[in-house]
Amino acid sequence: MNPIEALRDDLARRFPGVATEIDPPADDAGTWLLDVRPGGGRPWVVVEWKADLGFGISTPDSDDYGTRPDEVCPNAKAAYDRVSRLILAGARTEPPRAVRLAELRRLRDLSQTEVAGRAGIRQAAMARIEGRGDILLSTLRRVVAAMGGRLSIRVEFPDGMERELAAPAEGPLAKQGAGEPTKGSL
């Protein structure tokens, strides 16, 4: 039994009137889905699980098919606790909101000095970067990496198509380290 099947069984024991259904992936490397339908007008909960990524949780609307999870839990216990709270409260998940660079650093519990040291810059330079409204992608990528993350840029179109934008091997995105901002830099 894998962790999402165990989660389903634990939820069924605690909430016997709640309908659950597992949708296994087409292949071993795919994502497992668990639909949790509390009924009584309460939002349904979708739990995604992939062995190398953990648990994603959402309370989707009808037009949310194919979107990323709103919340991420690192393990089955955290996922069980969160889904239980959602069922009991009849609440909805909270999609991640946009944050400024300084807030992201604080969310990671890091000081400007720590991030600056990891990025190979001075603390004063880090303070200036956090205050800017326009940052080179190469600078942003470097600061995010210093916080332990990976920068990705996602493009969303009105027709629902979404793609992650990759930096080209050559061209403006690749040459940003040369010190000239490119049109559309963050």
Side-chain angles (χ1 to χ4, degrees), residues 165-184:
L165 188 63
E170 293 184 28
L173 289 178
K175 294 179 182 177
Q176 286 183 36
E180 290 187 37
T182 61
K183 185 176 179 181

Side-chain angles (χ1 to χ4, degrees), residues 23-81:
D23 183 14
D27 60 57
D28 292 340
T31 302
W32 289 73
L33 298 173
L34 169 63
D35 286 343
V36 180
R37 298 188 183 264
R42 292 175 291 178
W44 59 292
V45 181
V46 174
V47 181
E48 300 177 28
W49 175 75
K50 194 169 181 181
D52 56 339
L53 297 177
F55 294 84
I57 302 173
S58 298
T59 51
D61 291 320
S62 60
D63 62 343
D64 285 345
Y65 180 78
T67 61
R68 293 182 174 201
D70 291 336
E71 302 174 3
V72 176
C73 295
N75 57 50
K77 169 86 170 92
Y80 173 81
D81 290 344

Side-chain angles (χ1 to χ4, degrees), residues 14 17 22 24 37 45-46 97 101 107 119 149 155 163 173 182:
R14 180 164 184 195
I22 285 190
R37 298 188 183 264
V45 181
V46 174
R97 60 182 177 78
L101 197 54
L107 286 168
V155 179
R163 295 290 185 272
L173 289 178
T182 61

Side-chain angles (χ1 to χ4, degrees), residues 1-7 22 32 49:
M1 177 179 302
N2 68 34
I4 200 159
E5 292 169 319
L7 175 62
I22 285 190
W32 289 73
W49 175 75

Side-chain angles (χ1 to χ4, degrees), residues 72-139:
V72 176
C73 295
N75 57 50
K77 169 86 170 92
Y80 173 81
D81 290 344
R82 182 60 177 142
V83 172
S84 295
R85 287 193 310 273
L86 290 168
I87 292 170
L88 290 169
R92 301 189 70 81
T93 52
E94 297 179 25
R97 60 182 177 78
V99 296
R100 296 188 57 87
L101 197 54
E103 186 178 353
L104 180 62
R105 176 183 49 76
R106 286 189 292 271
L107 286 168
R108 302 299 301 165
D109 200 26
L110 296 166
S111 70
Q112 277 185 345
T113 304
E114 288 174 299
V115 175
R118 293 176 185 179
I121 59 177
R122 294 186 331 268
Q123 182 273 330
M126 185 66 209
R128 283 192 305 273
I129 290 168
E130 286 184 349
R132 287 184 188 151
D134 191 14
I135 303 171
L136 291 173
L137 287 175
S138 58
T139 301

